[in-house]
Amino acid sequence: MNFNQPQNPKDFPFIRNINPGEANIFVESPGRINLIGEHTDYNHGFVFPTAIDKKIHFEISKNGCKKTCRIFSETYKSWFWFNLSSISKSPESWENHILGVVHEILKIKNIDQGFDCIIKSDLPAGAGISSSAALECGLATGLNELFQLNFSKLEIVNIARAAENNFVGSNCGIMDQFASVMSKKDHFILLDCLTLEAKFIPADLKSCKILLINSMVSHNLAESEYNIRRSECEHALKIIKHKFPEVKTLRDVDMELLESCKKDLSEKEYIRVLYILQENERVLKAAEAMKNGDLKKLGELMNQSHYGLKDLYEVSCKELDFLVKFSENKDFIYGSRMMGGGFGGCTINIIEESHIADFSAEVKIAYQKEFNITPEIITVVPSKGTSIYQN
Ligand code: GLA
């Protein structure tokens, strides 16, 4: 069979066994949670994420074509194909995460023939647990193995992030891709987004579990407001730098220095930077609390983080605030806050395992009554990052 110029890529059998002797590559790529440290990654601050036990699975193989690649999503029961020499943006958002990764790889290395890829996901999309980073990191890892491209894990993180920034058009920081690739089972990563130094802190949750409550809303201002927050912080930094040229990033700014620039900044810029400085401090304290097994302290910091995100960074929404309020003052919940970029997605909660069933039932009823939406409750476990496995 000659697959080099397929008029219709539907006409040849999908993936398996068209290249006898050529082993298929199996990859699993997880979503992520972030215990604390929101919107700090692109401000060169600290974050405290890890990968979770909910994943996207990939099966990838060479398909015998020169240039044609085909991607099939078992989850969405849809597929598409593209040519390695002419990659352009698709109107379908999920396809761009795939195309973006291939596009970024081709800037650096050659992919010498076509491939097929089957994808299956148990990660809810749009829940703020980074299904897009999982998609990008999983594909990059699979192609790295299949074509022996010799990328390091950090290069894979950078390729995945570049796909998001340059191709998908989302101006995200590095947290999601880093967590998806680098995480270790039962640990959180204290990541310094300035130096990329990562400290792995054991997830000592005692008799507690991590519970995500998916608000099931995803307000469409999320993307634009995210970019506005970035530029507010960048503009604030520029003004601070003008006065204090030794300042390189917001990490060089402390409270005293911020106060001395207060009158030069707009009110919004001031409270954005104030939040970032406070949140960075909270992340470091939270990592300490986790090391000391002090869940009470950790929980307090998470709650403070939520109110910083709500009142100073202004990226929460009424649904998330409701869920956090509902978790507050329950002695079996140590901490609760919105997670991720904001304007929807999940709250993250540290809860005594023995109370999960009753609490879940209760919060479902209350949220349903308030918003007429049934929230999704997801228990997650800190897990290892993207990996190749044998089927
Ligand atoms: C999104 C982005 C991350 C990070 C968070 C907020 O998840 O992809 O880079 O900025 O929002 O902490």
mmCIF file of all heavy atoms in Angstrom, residues 235-276:
data_model
loop_
_atom_site.group_PDB
_atom_site.id
_atom_site.type_symbol
_atom_site.label_atom_id
_atom_site.label_comp_id
_atom_site.label_asym_id
_atom_site.label_seq_id
_atom_site.Cartn_x
_atom_site.Cartn_y
_atom_site.Cartn_z
ATOM 1 N N HIS A 235 2.929 45.731 33.613
ATOM 2 C CA HIS A 235 2.982 47.194 33.605
ATOM 3 C C HIS A 235 3.443 47.721 34.959
ATOM 4 O O HIS A 235 4.294 48.630 35.040
ATOM 5 C CB HIS A 235 1.619 47.777 33.215
ATOM 6 C CG HIS A 235 1.689 49.234 32.906
ATOM 7 N ND1 HIS A 235 1.101 50.187 33.704
ATOM 8 C CD2 HIS A 235 2.321 49.908 31.922
ATOM 9 C CE1 HIS A 235 1.361 51.380 33.210
ATOM 10 N NE2 HIS A 235 2.101 51.243 32.121
ATOM 11 N N ALA A 236 2.928 47.118 36.027
ATOM 12 C CA ALA A 236 3.348 47.517 37.378
ATOM 13 C C ALA A 236 4.855 47.320 37.524
ATOM 14 O O ALA A 236 5.568 48.187 38.039
ATOM 15 C CB ALA A 236 2.607 46.695 38.418
ATOM 16 N N LEU A 237 5.344 46.194 37.028
ATOM 17 C CA LEU A 237 6.783 45.904 37.130
ATOM 18 C C LEU A 237 7.601 46.961 36.394
ATOM 19 O O LEU A 237 8.644 47.416 36.878
ATOM 20 C CB LEU A 237 7.062 44.497 36.560
ATOM 21 C CG LEU A 237 8.519 44.053 36.536
ATOM 22 C CD1 LEU A 237 9.087 43.951 37.953
ATOM 23 C CD2 LEU A 237 8.668 42.695 35.836
ATOM 24 N N LYS A 238 7.105 47.356 35.238
ATOM 25 C CA LYS A 238 7.805 48.363 34.442
ATOM 26 C C LYS A 238 7.933 49.678 35.221
ATOM 27 O O LYS A 238 9.001 50.305 35.252
ATOM 28 C CB LYS A 238 6.984 48.605 33.155
ATOM 29 C CG LYS A 238 7.809 49.002 31.973
ATOM 30 C CD LYS A 238 6.990 48.846 30.727
ATOM 31 C CE LYS A 238 7.284 49.986 29.774
ATOM 32 N NZ LYS A 238 6.337 50.027 28.674
ATOM 33 N N ILE A 239 6.850 50.047 35.884
ATOM 34 C CA ILE A 239 6.866 51.297 36.657
ATOM 35 C C ILE A 239 7.827 51.183 37.850
ATOM 36 O O ILE A 239 8.614 52.086 38.135
ATOM 37 C CB ILE A 239 5.428 51.638 37.125
ATOM 38 C CG1 ILE A 239 4.601 52.018 35.902
ATOM 39 C CG2 ILE A 239 5.419 52.764 38.154
ATOM 40 C CD1 ILE A 239 3.137 52.176 36.158
ATOM 41 N N ILE A 240 7.767 50.023 38.512
ATOM 42 C CA ILE A 240 8.659 49.821 39.667
ATOM 43 C C ILE A 240 10.124 49.848 39.210
ATOM 44 O O ILE A 240 10.985 50.468 39.836
ATOM 45 C CB ILE A 240 8.317 48.496 40.395
ATOM 46 C CG1 ILE A 240 6.893 48.559 40.955
ATOM 47 C CG2 ILE A 240 9.324 48.202 41.501
ATOM 48 C CD1 ILE A 240 6.350 47.252 41.498
ATOM 49 N N LYS A 241 10.395 49.202 38.070
ATOM 50 C CA LYS A 241 11.758 49.141 37.524
ATOM 51 C C LYS A 241 12.294 50.533 37.211
ATOM 52 O O LYS A 241 13.469 50.818 37.345
ATOM 53 C CB LYS A 241 11.764 48.359 36.205
ATOM 54 C CG LYS A 241 12.054 46.892 36.339
ATOM 55 C CD LYS A 241 12.084 46.314 34.932
ATOM 56 C CE LYS A 241 12.446 44.851 34.940
ATOM 57 N NZ LYS A 241 12.283 44.255 33.630
ATOM 58 N N HIS A 242 11.393 51.375 36.727
ATOM 59 C CA HIS A 242 11.772 52.726 36.350
ATOM 60 C C HIS A 242 12.341 53.463 37.569
ATOM 61 O O HIS A 242 13.318 54.196 37.483
ATOM 62 C CB HIS A 242 10.537 53.443 35.796
ATOM 63 C CG HIS A 242 10.856 54.755 35.174
ATOM 64 N ND1 HIS A 242 11.558 54.848 33.997
ATOM 65 C CD2 HIS A 242 10.596 56.022 35.589
ATOM 66 C CE1 HIS A 242 11.717 56.126 33.710
ATOM 67 N NE2 HIS A 242 11.152 56.855 34.657
ATOM 68 N N LYS A 243 11.703 53.205 38.703
ATOM 69 C CA LYS A 243 12.132 53.852 39.949
ATOM 70 C C LYS A 243 13.318 53.107 40.576
ATOM 71 O O LYS A 243 14.204 53.722 41.152
ATOM 72 C CB LYS A 243 10.938 53.858 40.907
ATOM 73 C CG LYS A 243 11.021 54.923 41.957
ATOM 74 C CD LYS A 243 9.634 55.145 42.560
ATOM 75 C CE LYS A 243 9.706 56.163 43.668
ATOM 76 N NZ LYS A 243 8.380 56.412 44.215
ATOM 77 N N PHE A 244 13.273 51.788 40.471
ATOM 78 C CA PHE A 244 14.324 50.963 41.086
ATOM 79 C C PHE A 244 14.917 50.042 40.005
ATOM 80 O O PHE A 244 14.489 48.889 39.870
ATOM 81 C CB PHE A 244 13.746 50.114 42.227
ATOM 82 C CG PHE A 244 13.227 50.921 43.377
ATOM 83 C CD1 PHE A 244 11.877 51.223 43.481
ATOM 84 C CD2 PHE A 244 14.088 51.400 44.354
ATOM 85 C CE1 PHE A 244 11.394 51.973 44.545
ATOM 86 C CE2 PHE A 244 13.613 52.157 45.420
ATOM 87 C CZ PHE A 244 12.262 52.449 45.514
ATOM 88 N N PRO A 245 15.889 50.533 39.248
ATOM 89 C CA PRO A 245 16.381 49.758 38.105
ATOM 90 C C PRO A 245 16.983 48.395 38.479
ATOM 91 O O PRO A 245 17.091 47.523 37.628
ATOM 92 C CB PRO A 245 17.468 50.665 37.510
ATOM 93 C CG PRO A 245 17.206 52.018 38.045
ATOM 94 C CD PRO A 245 16.526 51.847 39.353
ATOM 95 N N GLU A 246 17.334 48.218 39.743
ATOM 96 C CA GLU A 246 17.901 46.921 40.141
ATOM 97 C C GLU A 246 16.834 45.818 40.177
ATOM 98 O O GLU A 246 17.144 44.628 40.202
ATOM 99 C CB GLU A 246 18.625 47.029 41.492
ATOM 100 C CG GLU A 246 17.757 47.287 42.716
ATOM 101 C CD GLU A 246 17.373 48.761 42.914
ATOM 102 O OE1 GLU A 246 17.519 49.569 41.967
ATOM 103 O OE2 GLU A 246 16.904 49.108 44.018
ATOM 104 N N VAL A 247 15.562 46.201 40.171
ATOM 105 C CA VAL A 247 14.483 45.208 40.187
ATOM 106 C C VAL A 247 14.379 44.541 38.811
ATOM 107 O O VAL A 247 14.261 45.218 37.791
ATOM 108 C CB VAL A 247 13.131 45.879 40.563
ATOM 109 C CG1 VAL A 247 11.960 44.949 40.295
ATOM 110 C CG2 VAL A 247 13.149 46.305 42.024
ATOM 111 N N LYS A 248 14.449 43.198 38.799
ATOM 112 C CA LYS A 248 14.342 42.488 37.514
ATOM 113 C C LYS A 248 12.950 41.860 37.341
ATOM 114 O O LYS A 248 12.398 41.837 36.253
ATOM 115 C CB LYS A 248 15.404 41.371 37.430
ATOM 116 C CG LYS A 248 16.848 41.885 37.523
ATOM 117 C CD LYS A 248 17.351 42.371 36.156
ATOM 118 C CE LYS A 248 18.723 42.992 36.219
ATOM 119 N NZ LYS A 248 18.727 44.416 36.652
ATOM 120 N N THR A 249 12.452 41.279 38.435
ATOM 121 C CA THR A 249 11.122 40.658 38.385
ATOM 122 C C THR A 249 10.391 41.023 39.677
ATOM 123 O O THR A 249 10.991 41.580 40.595
ATOM 124 C CB THR A 249 11.209 39.105 38.316
ATOM 125 O OG1 THR A 249 11.684 38.644 39.586
ATOM 126 C CG2 THR A 249 12.139 38.620 37.223
ATOM 127 N N LEU A 250 9.124 40.619 39.773
ATOM 128 C CA LEU A 250 8.383 40.923 41.008
ATOM 129 C C LEU A 250 8.983 40.213 42.221
ATOM 130 O O LEU A 250 8.705 40.582 43.359
ATOM 131 C CB LEU A 250 6.906 40.557 40.852
ATOM 132 C CG LEU A 250 6.064 41.484 39.973
ATOM 133 C CD1 LEU A 250 4.593 41.080 40.017
ATOM 134 C CD2 LEU A 250 6.223 42.956 40.367
ATOM 135 N N ARG A 251 9.827 39.231 41.994
ATOM 136 C CA ARG A 251 10.500 38.561 43.122
ATOM 137 C C ARG A 251 11.469 39.490 43.845
ATOM 138 O O ARG A 251 11.846 39.247 44.985
ATOM 139 C CB ARG A 251 11.241 37.329 42.613
ATOM 140 C CG ARG A 251 10.363 36.133 42.455
ATOM 141 C CD ARG A 251 9.971 35.513 43.786
ATOM 142 N NE ARG A 251 11.069 34.774 44.341
ATOM 143 C CZ ARG A 251 11.526 33.657 43.792
ATOM 144 N NH1 ARG A 251 10.939 33.142 42.731
ATOM 145 N NH2 ARG A 251 12.538 33.038 44.339
ATOM 146 N N ASP A 252 11.913 40.535 43.149
ATOM 147 C CA ASP A 252 12.832 41.485 43.791
ATOM 148 C C ASP A 252 12.075 42.566 44.557
ATOM 149 O O ASP A 252 12.682 43.493 45.078
ATOM 150 C CB ASP A 252 13.721 42.164 42.728
ATOM 151 C CG ASP A 252 14.523 41.148 41.939
ATOM 152 O OD1 ASP A 252 14.976 40.174 42.558
ATOM 153 O OD2 ASP A 252 14.677 41.317 40.715
ATOM 154 N N VAL A 253 10.750 42.457 44.560
ATOM 155 C CA VAL A 253 9.940 43.501 45.213
ATOM 156 C C VAL A 253 9.465 42.986 46.572
ATOM 157 O O VAL A 253 8.948 41.869 46.663
ATOM 158 C CB VAL A 253 8.716 43.844 44.325
ATOM 159 C CG1 VAL A 253 7.835 44.881 44.999
ATOM 160 C CG2 VAL A 253 9.170 44.327 42.957
ATOM 161 N N ASP A 254 9.667 43.776 47.632
ATOM 162 C CA ASP A 254 9.082 43.398 48.924
ATOM 163 C C ASP A 254 8.041 44.458 49.308
ATOM 164 O O ASP A 254 7.818 45.431 48.568
ATOM 165 C CB ASP A 254 10.157 43.215 50.007
ATOM 166 C CG ASP A 254 10.962 44.487 50.235
ATOM 167 O OD1 ASP A 254 10.531 45.573 49.790
ATOM 168 O OD2 ASP A 254 12.042 44.403 50.847
ATOM 169 N N MET A 255 7.413 44.266 50.451
ATOM 170 C CA MET A 255 6.314 45.152 50.838
ATOM 171 C C MET A 255 6.764 46.610 50.936
ATOM 172 O O MET A 255 6.054 47.520 50.497
ATOM 173 C CB MET A 255 5.722 44.711 52.189
ATOM 174 C CG MET A 255 4.915 43.440 52.125
ATOM 175 S SD MET A 255 3.643 43.455 50.870
ATOM 176 C CE MET A 255 2.556 44.659 51.555
ATOM 177 N N GLU A 256 7.946 46.788 51.478
ATOM 178 C CA GLU A 256 8.439 48.156 51.670
ATOM 179 C C GLU A 256 8.618 48.852 50.319
ATOM 180 O O GLU A 256 8.186 49.994 50.119
ATOM 181 C CB GLU A 256 9.768 48.072 52.419
ATOM 182 C CG GLU A 256 10.190 49.362 53.067
ATOM 183 C CD GLU A 256 11.575 49.216 53.700
ATOM 184 O OE1 GLU A 256 11.881 48.128 54.226
ATOM 185 O OE2 GLU A 256 12.343 50.172 53.613
ATOM 186 N N LEU A 257 9.233 48.120 49.412
ATOM 187 C CA LEU A 257 9.461 48.688 48.079
ATOM 188 C C LEU A 257 8.128 48.971 47.364
ATOM 189 O O LEU A 257 7.948 50.010 46.731
ATOM 190 C CB LEU A 257 10.326 47.713 47.277
ATOM 191 C CG LEU A 257 11.015 48.281 46.047
ATOM 192 C CD1 LEU A 257 12.406 47.673 45.902
ATOM 193 C CD2 LEU A 257 10.213 48.016 44.796
ATOM 194 N N LEU A 258 7.197 48.022 47.526
ATOM 195 C CA LEU A 258 5.876 48.231 46.907
ATOM 196 C C LEU A 258 5.216 49.497 47.474
ATOM 197 O O LEU A 258 4.665 50.308 46.709
ATOM 198 C CB LEU A 258 4.980 47.004 47.141
ATOM 199 C CG LEU A 258 3.553 47.116 46.618
ATOM 200 C CD1 LEU A 258 3.525 47.307 45.100
ATOM 201 C CD2 LEU A 258 2.714 45.896 47.001
ATOM 202 N N GLU A 259 5.279 49.644 48.782
ATOM 203 C CA GLU A 259 4.665 50.824 49.404
ATOM 204 C C GLU A 259 5.289 52.109 48.855
ATOM 205 O O GLU A 259 4.602 53.088 48.601
ATOM 206 C CB GLU A 259 4.812 50.794 50.933
ATOM 207 C CG GLU A 259 3.914 49.776 51.623
ATOM 208 C CD GLU A 259 2.456 49.854 51.197
ATOM 209 O OE1 GLU A 259 1.883 50.961 51.189
ATOM 210 O OE2 GLU A 259 1.881 48.803 50.834
ATOM 211 N N SER A 260 6.602 52.061 48.635
ATOM 212 C CA SER A 260 7.262 53.281 48.157
ATOM 213 C C SER A 260 6.909 53.583 46.690
ATOM 214 O O SER A 260 7.205 54.661 46.189
ATOM 215 C CB SER A 260 8.780 53.184 48.348
ATOM 216 O OG SER A 260 9.288 52.231 47.461
ATOM 217 N N CYS A 261 6.283 52.638 46.025
ATOM 218 C CA CYS A 261 5.859 52.876 44.626
ATOM 219 C C CYS A 261 4.349 53.070 44.533
ATOM 220 O O CYS A 261 3.815 53.226 43.425
ATOM 221 C CB CYS A 261 6.238 51.691 43.753
ATOM 222 S SG CYS A 261 8.000 51.466 43.585
ATOM 223 N N LYS A 262 3.676 52.995 45.663
ATOM 224 C CA LYS A 262 2.198 52.976 45.651
ATOM 225 C C LYS A 262 1.606 54.129 44.838
ATOM 226 O O LYS A 262 0.693 53.933 44.034
ATOM 227 C CB LYS A 262 1.674 53.008 47.088
ATOM 228 C CG LYS A 262 0.197 52.750 47.182
ATOM 229 C CD LYS A 262 -0.256 52.535 48.613
ATOM 230 C CE LYS A 262 -1.758 52.302 48.626
ATOM 231 N NZ LYS A 262 -2.272 52.071 49.958
ATOM 232 N N LYS A 263 2.137 55.314 45.033
ATOM 233 C CA LYS A 263 1.522 56.470 44.347
ATOM 234 C C LYS A 263 1.817 56.483 42.843
ATOM 235 O O LYS A 263 1.150 57.160 42.077
ATOM 236 C CB LYS A 263 1.948 57.780 45.018
ATOM 237 C CG LYS A 263 3.432 58.063 44.982
ATOM 238 C CD LYS A 263 3.712 59.448 45.576
ATOM 239 C CE LYS A 263 5.160 59.881 45.498
ATOM 240 N NZ LYS A 263 6.183 58.845 45.398
ATOM 241 N N ASP A 264 2.806 55.700 42.411
ATOM 242 C CA ASP A 264 3.120 55.634 40.969
ATOM 243 C C ASP A 264 2.242 54.610 40.241
ATOM 244 O O ASP A 264 2.152 54.616 39.016
ATOM 245 C CB ASP A 264 4.596 55.242 40.761
ATOM 246 C CG ASP A 264 5.525 56.151 41.541
ATOM 247 O OD1 ASP A 264 5.500 57.359 41.280
ATOM 248 O OD2 ASP A 264 6.255 55.646 42.424
ATOM 249 N N LEU A 265 1.668 53.708 41.029
ATOM 250 C CA LEU A 265 0.876 52.631 40.416
ATOM 251 C C LEU A 265 -0.607 52.979 40.447
ATOM 252 O O LEU A 265 -1.046 53.720 41.342
ATOM 253 C CB LEU A 265 1.075 51.324 41.204
ATOM 254 C CG LEU A 265 2.505 50.778 41.279
ATOM 255 C CD1 LEU A 265 2.589 49.635 42.294
ATOM 256 C CD2 LEU A 265 2.963 50.284 39.907
ATOM 257 N N SER A 266 -1.354 52.400 39.504
ATOM 258 C CA SER A 266 -2.807 52.568 39.604
ATOM 259 C C SER A 266 -3.275 51.717 40.787
ATOM 260 O O SER A 266 -2.564 50.809 41.241
ATOM 261 C CB SER A 266 -3.484 52.103 38.317
ATOM 262 O OG SER A 266 -3.418 50.695 38.240
ATOM 263 N N GLU A 267 -4.506 51.975 41.226
ATOM 264 C CA GLU A 267 -5.021 51.220 42.374
ATOM 265 C C GLU A 267 -5.042 49.717 42.064
ATOM 266 O O GLU A 267 -4.659 48.877 42.873
ATOM 267 C CB GLU A 267 -6.422 51.720 42.688
ATOM 268 C CG GLU A 267 -6.874 51.375 44.084
ATOM 269 C CD GLU A 267 -8.303 51.815 44.317
ATOM 270 O OE1 GLU A 267 -8.664 52.938 43.878
ATOM 271 O OE2 GLU A 267 -9.062 51.024 44.883
ATOM 272 N N LYS A 268 -5.472 49.393 40.836
ATOM 273 C CA LYS A 268 -5.541 47.979 40.437
ATOM 274 C C LYS A 268 -4.155 47.361 40.434
ATOM 275 O O LYS A 268 -3.942 46.256 40.932
ATOM 276 C CB LYS A 268 -6.149 47.835 39.034
ATOM 277 C CG LYS A 268 -7.614 48.157 38.957
ATOM 278 C CD LYS A 268 -8.479 46.972 39.370
ATOM 279 C CE LYS A 268 -9.951 47.292 39.251
ATOM 280 N NZ LYS A 268 -10.747 46.862 40.391
ATOM 281 N N GLU A 269 -3.197 48.090 39.829
ATOM 282 C CA GLU A 269 -1.832 47.535 39.756
ATOM 283 C C GLU A 269 -1.288 47.274 41.159
ATOM 284 O O GLU A 269 -0.653 46.250 41.413
ATOM 285 C CB GLU A 269 -0.910 48.498 39.006
ATOM 286 C CG GLU A 269 -1.144 48.489 37.507
ATOM 287 C CD GLU A 269 -0.497 49.656 36.778
ATOM 288 O OE1 GLU A 269 -0.004 50.602 37.431
ATOM 289 O OE2 GLU A 269 -0.507 49.628 35.539
ATOM 290 N N TYR A 270 -1.567 48.192 42.050
ATOM 291 C CA TYR A 270 -1.071 48.046 43.426
ATOM 292 C C TYR A 270 -1.653 46.778 44.066
ATOM 293 O O TYR A 270 -0.916 45.963 44.622
ATOM 294 C CB TYR A 270 -1.424 49.288 44.247
ATOM 295 C CG TYR A 270 -1.137 49.115 45.711
ATOM 296 C CD1 TYR A 270 0.171 49.201 46.191
ATOM 297 C CD2 TYR A 270 -2.168 48.840 46.622
ATOM 298 C CE1 TYR A 270 0.449 49.018 47.543
ATOM 299 C CE2 TYR A 270 -1.898 48.652 47.966
ATOM 300 C CZ TYR A 270 -0.593 48.740 48.418
ATOM 301 O OH TYR A 270 -0.315 48.546 49.754
ATOM 302 N N ILE A 271 -2.966 46.581 43.954
ATOM 303 C CA ILE A 271 -3.540 45.412 44.655
ATOM 304 C C ILE A 271 -3.158 44.093 43.968
ATOM 305 O O ILE A 271 -3.050 43.075 44.616
ATOM 306 C CB ILE A 271 -5.076 45.517 44.892
ATOM 307 C CG1 ILE A 271 -5.833 45.717 43.574
ATOM 308 C CG2 ILE A 271 -5.399 46.607 45.895
ATOM 309 C CD1 ILE A 271 -7.359 45.658 43.776
ATOM 310 N N ARG A 272 -2.919 44.148 42.651
ATOM 311 C CA ARG A 272 -2.462 42.918 41.978
ATOM 312 C C ARG A 272 -1.096 42.508 42.528
ATOM 313 O O ARG A 272 -0.862 41.363 42.861
ATOM 314 C CB ARG A 272 -2.337 43.112 40.463
ATOM 315 C CG ARG A 272 -3.584 43.580 39.742
ATOM 316 C CD ARG A 272 -4.773 42.665 39.899
ATOM 317 N NE ARG A 272 -5.846 43.104 39.027
ATOM 318 C CZ ARG A 272 -7.079 43.400 39.424
ATOM 319 N NH1 ARG A 272 -7.438 43.267 40.676
ATOM 320 N NH2 ARG A 272 -7.983 43.793 38.551
ATOM 321 N N VAL A 273 -0.179 43.482 42.605
ATOM 322 C CA VAL A 273 1.176 43.155 43.069
ATOM 323 C C VAL A 273 1.140 42.772 44.552
ATOM 324 O O VAL A 273 1.811 41.821 44.970
ATOM 325 C CB VAL A 273 2.157 44.320 42.814
ATOM 326 C CG1 VAL A 273 3.543 43.976 43.351
ATOM 327 C CG2 VAL A 273 2.237 44.639 41.331
ATOM 328 N N LEU A 274 0.315 43.470 45.302
ATOM 329 C CA LEU A 274 0.169 43.136 46.718
ATOM 330 C C LEU A 274 -0.231 41.662 46.866
ATOM 331 O O LEU A 274 0.346 40.909 47.653
ATOM 332 C CB LEU A 274 -0.891 44.048 47.351
ATOM 333 C CG LEU A 274 -1.219 43.812 48.821
ATOM 334 C CD1 LEU A 274 0.010 44.069 49.691
ATOM 335 C CD2 LEU A 274 -2.368 44.727 49.261
ATOM 336 N N TYR A 275 -1.214 41.256 46.080
ATOM 337 C CA TYR A 275 -1.646 39.849 46.122
ATOM 338 C C TYR A 275 -0.467 38.918 45.806
ATOM 339 O O TYR A 275 -0.254 37.925 46.510
ATOM 340 C CB TYR A 275 -2.814 39.595 45.137
ATOM 341 C CG TYR A 275 -2.952 38.126 44.841
ATOM 342 C CD1 TYR A 275 -3.565 37.267 45.757
ATOM 343 C CD2 TYR A 275 -2.387 37.568 43.691
ATOM 344 C CE1 TYR A 275 -3.631 35.900 45.525
ATOM 345 C CE2 TYR A 275 -2.446 36.211 43.446
ATOM 346 C CZ TYR A 275 -3.062 35.375 44.367
ATOM 347 O OH TYR A 275 -3.100 34.019 44.147
ATOM 348 N N ILE A 276 0.277 39.230 44.764
ATOM 349 C CA ILE A 276 1.380 38.339 44.343
ATOM 350 C C ILE A 276 2.417 38.202 45.463
ATOM 351 O O ILE A 276 2.858 37.088 45.782
ATOM 352 C CB ILE A 276 2.052 38.857 43.043
ATOM 353 C CG1 ILE A 276 1.061 38.807 41.863
ATOM 354 C CG2 ILE A 276 3.316 38.051 42.698
ATOM 355 C CD1 ILE A 276 0.608 37.415 41.445
#
